[in-house]
Amino acid sequence: MSTQTLLGALRAIVGTGHVLTAPADVAGYAEDWRKRYRGAPLAVVLPGSTDEVAAVVRRCHAARAAIVPQGGNTGLAGGATPDGSGTQIVLSLRRMRRIRSLDAADRVLVAEAGVVLAEAQRAAREAGLLFPLSLAAEGSATIGGVLATNAGGTAVLRYGNARALCLGLEAVTAQGAVWHGLSALRKDNTGYDLRDLLIGSEGTLGILTAASLALFPQPAARRTAWVAVPDLAQAVALLGRARDALDAGLTGFELMGAPCIELVARHFPALRAPLPAGAAPWFVLLELSDSESEAHAQERLEAVLGAALEAGVAGDCAVAASLAHSETMWAIREHIPLAQAAEGLNIKHDLAVPVSRMAGFVADTAARLQRLLPEARLIVFGHLGDGNLHYNVQAPSGADSEAFRTRWEGPCNALLHEAAVAAGGSFSAEHGIGMLKTGELARFKDPAALALMRGVKQALDPQGLLNPGKVLTAV
Ligand SMILES: Cc1cc2nc3c(=O)[nH]c(=O)nc-3n(C[C@H](O)[C@H](O)[C@H](O)COP(=O)(O)OP(=O)(O)OC[C@H]3O[C@@H](n4cnc5c(N)ncnc54)[C@H](O)[C@@H]3O)c2cc1C
């Protein structure tokens, strides 16, 4: 089938206006959020329904055209970017943004894949319920994207990652069949779990078109505190105390190194930190959700922080006095990646390390990195409650950040990934593999697991047409 025949067929399925080929129209789909990868798609196709997705996939399958699924294009591993061959179809789910249903009694929301995460949260909130998945890119990231990457974010500590919040899926297979798996059940042991297979598969095993998502009660009150901690070991100790005292009430525990706060202050001066960045080497953003009342929440938080201050685990702290104050605290945390992007290219790491080993891990690796690159800045922050750090290496002030990244990415990756794996951790906690970490997957993953993954890919997508070059390098 010629290229023109394929494009004509795709136009007939989704409508001429929903097949983009002009360079200016496809530009935003051809480059990733970090501006690290840029591809050249044959076309960007925007179907409006599951049937259209299935018809597009069947056409592409017949033409042996590769498909790169894309949601909000906020992924950080290059998973949604086409290659430079000019032959791949970017299949954008952005037009599929309908909330199909919300059942308050069963606490289930059914959303199409292109629904933006913040919209799903809003729909739940309007029904008096909570969809707790939360991350800084929630204004653009889609339900399909967060499930395809099994995203984490700031509420995993209490509610789990995207996988834990998904009850069922609707998906289109590599051959263009529709799997109707939108279960609302909490229990369903009927054979292999295809839902969990597709979640986290980064568009390489199927195209997600809709999901049923678990909802939770809205807390009666929320309290946010910004705490200075003298060192990382004390931050871990504070986490232990907060967990013991607050149990499921602890819904957020984010760690930020002082250089992160300085970077946000430089690029977003309107966001004023509750404590000066120089007050401590590390800060914790702690959130308590309480099912009883504001007064009960306040009392519990004060008890934890008071005891931590007395024990020297925490230094100074500020408790948000209003919703606006709490939102500013969260905005500072969420602006760290944006401030980093504004500062220039950097070497990103998304590490998981058991919480009990975190302080030793950071002390050891920071010392080694400092010996290797004395002028580089370590921008370390993340979801300490989940043992997940974004351990980023930023070029020295004023240096050419592109040249720095090109020269030092390999050595920094080797140092940090090896150390994380040696500490019983992972080189990819929540961002996935995409095309950024295929080499690391081949290097670090258990060989038997890798062979099984290849077998699964071969069984579901024998032609290798779904997101080739992502996760696994070859079928
Ligand atoms: C500022 C910022 C902060 C972030 N913070 C976090 C965080 O705290 N925690 C976290 O986990 N992540 C975080 N991320 C990254 C996160 O992975 C993405 O934001 C999100 O999960 C991807 O959603 P998306 O719709 O943008 O997907 P895209 O970027 O479009 O795609 C991501 C991957 O999913 C695949 N995909 C997308 N849609 C579908 C579909 N419908 N069917 C099959 N495959 C599909 C793509 O092919 C690609 O492999 C952050 C990103 C940014 C920019």
Side-chain angles (χ1 to χ4, degrees):
M1 191 186 294
S2 77
T3 298
Q4 286 316 317
T5 313
L6 173 62
L7 290 177
L10 296 177
R11 286 190 184 106
I13 295 165
V14 298
T16 305
H18 302 306
V19 176
L20 314 178
T21 51
D25 295 340
V26 304
Y29 302 84
E31 189 174 41
D32 73 322
W33 187 86
R34 291 175 66 194
K35 304 202 181 308
R36 186 190 165 115
Y37 299 106
R38 182 180 297 167
L42 173 63
V44 176
V45 179
L46 295 113
S49 68
T50 302
D51 285 345
E52 286 186 9
V53 174
V56 166
V57 173
R58 284 194 296 272
R59 267 295 164 185
C60 290
H61 189 259
R64 296 287 182 269
I67 295 174
V68 180
Q70 192 179 96
N73 200 16
T74 67
L76 298 176
T81 312
D83 69 13
S85 65
T87 62
Q88 299 189 329
I89 299 289
V90 170
L91 182 66
S92 169
L93 281 294
R94 281 188 202 182
R95 282 181 65 222
M96 291 186 58
R97 47 194 316 159
R98 211 160 50 87
I99 303 272
R100 290 192 191 160
S101 63
L102 191 154
D103 186 328
D106 282 334
R107 293 191 177 159
V108 178
L109 169 77
V110 177
E112 290 186 342
V115 169
V116 168
L117 175 53
E119 285 297 308
Q121 295 167 344
R122 191 170 61 82
R125 197 164 49 244
E126 284 173 0
L129 292 165
L130 173 73
F131 182 58
L133 191 72
S134 179
L135 41 93
E138 64 198 23
S140 310
T142 60
I143 292 302
V146 297
L147 287 168
T149 57
N150 187 26
T154 55
V156 173
L157 180 63
R158 162 69 180 88
Y159 298 101
N161 48 19
R163 182 190 304 283
L165 301 170
C166 180
L167 300 172
L169 287 177
E170 178 189 270
V172 171
T173 69
Q175 297 73 29
V178 180
W179 169 45
H180 299 281
L182 284 176
S183 169
L185 302 174
R186 259 71 180 176
K187 290 186 169 180
D188 182 14
N189 285 347
T190 49
Y192 302 144
D193 196 329
L194 299 176
R195 175 196 62 191
D196 275 357
L197 189 57
L198 289 186
I199 294 174
S201 66
E202 301 184 50
T204 63
L205 298 181
I207 295 167
L208 313 182
T209 50
S212 39
L213 304 167
L215 302 179
F216 294 79
Q218 279 282 358
R222 277 208 182 97
R223 278 286 176 278
T224 317
W226 187 274
V227 190
V229 281
D231 56 43
L232 198 41
Q234 300 304 335
V236 172
L238 178 61
L239 172 66
R241 282 167 171 269
R243 269 188 164 149
D244 289 346
L246 306 175
D247 194 20
L250 182 64
T251 45
F253 198 97
E254 296 291 304
L255 178 83
M256 298 157 286
C260 304
I261 313 300
E262 284 160 10
L263 214 54
V264 172
R266 182 172 322 142
H267 293 284
F268 302 97
L271 291 173
R272 294 180 64 84
L275 300 172
W282 297 97
F283 296 88
V284 163
L285 178 57
L286 185 157
E287 187 172 85
L288 158 70
S289 299
D290 193 278
S291 56
E292 277 191 33
S293 64
E294 298 281 349
H296 190 247
Q298 186 73 16
E299 197 181 302
R300 292 173 81 200
L301 187 60
E302 279 173 8
V304 175
L305 293 179
L309 283 168
E310 217 164 278
V313 165
D316 216 354
C317 67
V319 176
S322 63
L323 182 62
H325 195 189
S326 161
E327 281 171 358
T328 302
M329 290 182 182
W330 276 108
I332 294 168
R333 159 64 185 88
E334 286 171 356
H335 277 70
I336 298 171
L338 304 174
Q340 274 209 279
E343 185 76 3
L345 295 171
N346 59 87
I347 305 171
K348 279 195 191 304
H349 303 97
D350 169 35
L351 309 176
V353 172
V355 172
S356 60
R357 302 178 76 168
M358 193 62 93
F361 169 79
V362 173
D364 171 55
T365 50
R368 287 166 58 198
L369 280 168
Q370 240 135 31
R371 282 198 295 277
L372 185 69
L373 295 163
E375 306 292 321
R377 294 165 291 168
L378 299 186
I379 307 296
V380 181
F381 63 100
H383 319 294
L384 185 63
D386 314 323
N388 174 197
L389 286 189
H390 302 308
Y391 194 139
N392 301 337
V393 185
Q394 192 101 34
S397 245
D400 174 345
S401 61
E402 175 121 41
F404 175 83
R405 196 191 60 190
T406 307
R407 167 68 185 89
W408 292 108
E409 186 163 53
C412 289
N413 284 354
L415 192 157
L416 285 169
H417 291 167
E418 274 167 24
V421 171
S426 167
F427 64 90
S428 177
E430 61 174 9
H431 293 162
I433 302 298
M435 57 174 135
L436 180 65
K437 295 181 187 164
T438 50
E440 302 298 75
L441 188 79
R443 181 168 172 216
F444 289 110
K445 195 83 178 170
D446 175 82
L450 262 183
L452 288 170
M453 285 169 65
R454 290 219 165 81
V456 169
K457 174 72 176 171
Q458 178 67 34
L460 269 62
D461 178 23
Q463 268 91 25
L465 296 176
L466 289 183
N467 222 357
K470 315 294 167 50
V471 184
L472 297 169
T473 39
V475 178

